[in-house]
């Protein structure tokens, strides 16, 4: 499977763009565990063209994480074109356009999934960005605005006509936000439309090796993208890749192995930000990690971990879990 000049193996597994999650440290970690492509969190086109320094820092990519996609969002053609040109200077492998974000502050203003209500504008932006840059441009979107407006099959054809190099479909409507189960039948309909020839990346609820396999076998997608399943569990990519390539689940590692991965991630965050912000930033991963699921009477320990203010305190609590 190819996206522009990039070539992937038979069962590519990508790390989804996630705000406040897919920073450079987490992306590198997921890459080490076998993610075939990683995405930055979405970046506001308006903030980029205003040279807001916090926004510009989100553009930082490293050679070790390649291939890496930088994702932008916005609702104006000119701003998106200019933002894409700024992104191009950071030399990502792919520029991805976000037409899927459901949160009110974005979609309510007509950006992200709000664009699904103005498909002509969405297509105008896409065509203009494709024309303006030399990097492959991809799109990530949802099935439609709501259950009565699931426009994705037709929209996918029109996006392809704009010259995009691949399309990611999250199998939910905007109205669904993140609730319920993703509907993969429409992702399959996009992929199996004989008019489509660009790669289709399926996204939504791929949180185990078995589900990844099913997505390829049942719906024929060219790649899968993993979001929430990777938070607090970057090793999921290794398990998925192993299963997809061999048909067998990898041997489970001891608890302290996985714990050391989380600790490594916390150290990276502390180093990159500072102790306070690094710990705060790591909390989402600790809270979501499957590593601590099912440990009896764990609630007080979980609360203590999420309250810890320093690395020393946090690691002290973690070491006690391991000692149990
Ligand atoms: C915390 C969080 C932040 C997200 N931020 C973004 C984002 O910046 N850009 C984007 O396209 N999607 C974003 N998403 C959506 C994910 O990329 C993905 O489409 C969605 O979570 C469904 O995949 P999953 O079921 O594997 O999590 C975000 C999701 C979560 C949970």
């Amino acid at each position: 499977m190819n996206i522009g000049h990039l070539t992937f193996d038979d069962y590519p597994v990508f790390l989804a763009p996630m705000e406040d999650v897919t920073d450079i440290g987490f992306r590198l970690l997921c890459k080490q565990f076998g993610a075939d492509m990683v995405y930055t969190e979405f970046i506001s086109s308006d903030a980029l063209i205003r040279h807001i320094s916090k926004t510009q820092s989100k553009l930082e990519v490293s050679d070790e994480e390649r291939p890496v996609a930088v994702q932008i969002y916005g609702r104006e053609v000119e701003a998106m074109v200019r933002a894409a040109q700024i992104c191009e200077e950071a030399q990502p492998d792919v520029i991805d356009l976000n037409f899927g974000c459901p949160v009110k502050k974005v979609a309510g203003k007509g950006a992200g999934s709000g664009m699904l209500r103005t498909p002509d504008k969405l297509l105008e932006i896409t065509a203009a960005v494709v024309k303006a840059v030399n990097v492959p441009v991809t799109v990530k979107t949802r099935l439609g605005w709501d259950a009565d407006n699931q426009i994705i099959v037709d929209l996918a054809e029109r996006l392809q006509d704009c010259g995009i190099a691949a399309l990611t479909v999250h199998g939910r409507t905007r109205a669904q936000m993140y609730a319920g189960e993703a509907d993969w039948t429409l992702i399959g309909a996009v992929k199996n439309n004989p008019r489509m020839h660009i790669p289709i990346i399926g996204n939504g609820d791929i949180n185990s090796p078995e589900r990844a396999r099913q997505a390829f076998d049942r719906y024929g997608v060219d790649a899968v993208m993993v979001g929430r399943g990777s938070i607090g569990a970057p090793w999921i990519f290794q398990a998925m890749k192993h299963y997809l390539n061999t048909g067998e689940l990898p041997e489970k590692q001891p608890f302290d192995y996985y714990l050391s991965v989380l600790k490594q991630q916390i150290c990276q965050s502390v180093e990159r930000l500072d102790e306070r912000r690094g710990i705060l930033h790591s909390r989402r991963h600790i809270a979501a990690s499957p590593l601590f699921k099912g440990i009896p009477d764990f609630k007080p320990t979980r609360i203590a971990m999420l309250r810890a203010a320093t690395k020393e305190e946090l690691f002290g609590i973690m070491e006690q879990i391991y000692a149990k």
Side-chain angles (χ1 to χ4, degrees):
M1 190 273 272
N2 295 317
I3 296 180
H5 58 281
L6 304 168
T7 300
F8 297 92
D9 69 12
D10 282 346
Y11 302 108
V13 183
F14 296 166
L15 168 66
M18 286 184 282
E19 185 181 20
D20 265 343
V21 175
T22 57
D23 55 67
I24 193 165
F26 188 62
R27 297 199 305 265
L28 280 167
L29 203 52
C30 292
K31 177 85 198 174
Q32 278 169 32
F33 280 108
D36 291 285
M37 180 147 82
V38 295
Y39 289 63
T40 65
E41 65 180 291
F42 70 170
I43 305 175
S44 155
S45 56
D46 290 339
L48 264 187
I49 59 179
R50 279 188 280 121
H51 302 289
I52 309 279
S53 67
K54 192 171 166 226
T55 305
Q56 279 174 322
S57 69
K58 295 179 183 171
L59 274 183
E60 188 199 339
V61 298
S62 116
D63 280 342
E64 289 159 69
E65 59 176 319
R66 291 186 188 282
V68 54
V70 164
Q71 191 191 60
I72 54 172
Y73 72 96
R75 59 176 180 162
E76 301 302 339
V77 180
E78 217 172 289
M80 286 291 272
V81 164
R82 185 66 205 115
Q85 288 167 333
I86 295 171
C87 289
E88 197 176 16
E89 288 165 25
Q91 300 184 321
D93 298 284
V94 166
I95 293 176
D96 188 63
L97 309 182
N98 176 316
F99 299 131
C101 177
V103 305
K104 213 169 174 185
K105 70 173 183 196
V106 175
K109 289 184 188 151
S113 65
M115 275 284 156
L116 290 165
R117 299 177 102 174
T118 52
D120 289 340
K121 185 82 176 283
L122 183 160
L123 293 161
E124 192 189 343
I125 290 176
T126 307
V129 172
V130 169
K131 224 165 115 189
V133 294
N134 291 312
V135 200
V137 175
T138 57
V139 162
K140 178 168 179 282
T141 188
R142 291 183 171 229
L143 304 178
W145 179 258
D146 59 21
D148 296 330
N149 296 283
Q150 305 200 55
I151 60 173
I152 192 62
V153 173
D154 176 60
L155 184 69
E157 284 191 18
R158 297 172 73 197
L159 278 166
Q160 176 175 268
D161 294 342
C162 292
I164 60 168
L167 172 66
T168 303
V169 182
H170 174 191
R172 287 187 175 84
T173 62
R174 190 274 170 171
Q176 284 176 289
M177 305 295 283
Y178 292 98
E181 288 248 320
D183 174 5
W184 273 75
T185 52
L186 270 178
I187 301 178
V190 171
K191 175 60 205 170
N192 296 310
N193 174 355
R195 271 218 62 224
M196 294 302 291
H197 55 79
I198 56 169
I200 302 300
I201 303 155
N203 170 240
D205 303 338
I206 302 296
N207 52 16
S208 68
E210 292 87 345
R211 285 216 180 184
R213 174 94 246 170
Q214 203 178 61
F216 285 106
D217 288 352
R218 204 179 278 178
Y219 303 102
V221 290
D222 299 284
V224 295
M225 179 183 273
V226 180
R228 289 164 296 178
S230 68
I231 306 179
W235 49 80
I236 200 170
F237 291 99
Q238 195 176 47
M240 285 182 177
K241 293 298 290 183
H242 188 86
Y243 188 68
L244 288 165
N245 289 323
T246 67
E248 280 167 25
L249 289 169
E251 210 175 300
K252 228 177 154 220
Q253 300 292 327
F255 180 85
D256 65 331
Y257 168 81
Y258 298 109
L259 191 62
S260 72
V261 173
L262 290 187
K263 282 165 127 183
Q264 183 192 334
Q265 192 187 336
I266 294 162
C267 289
Q268 275 173 352
S269 287
V270 166
E271 217 169 281
R272 193 173 51 86
L273 302 163
D274 57 44
E275 182 147 38
R276 194 185 63 82
R277 288 185 303 150
I279 298 283
L280 275 177
H281 185 74
S282 305
R283 282 188 186 157
R284 188 196 289 264
H285 293 266
I286 297 167
S289 183
L291 187 57
F292 307 117
K293 301 245 158 86
I295 301 180
D297 306 321
F298 193 68
K299 203 171 167 194
T301 313
R302 172 186 300 281
I303 292 171
M305 280 199 300
L306 297 177
R307 281 194 183 145
T310 64
K311 202 171 81 176
E312 202 188 338
E313 191 187 341
L314 179 55
F315 283 12
I317 300 165
M318 287 179 156
E319 247 117 67
Q320 280 168 24
I321 310 170
Y322 170 51
K324 272 182 196 163

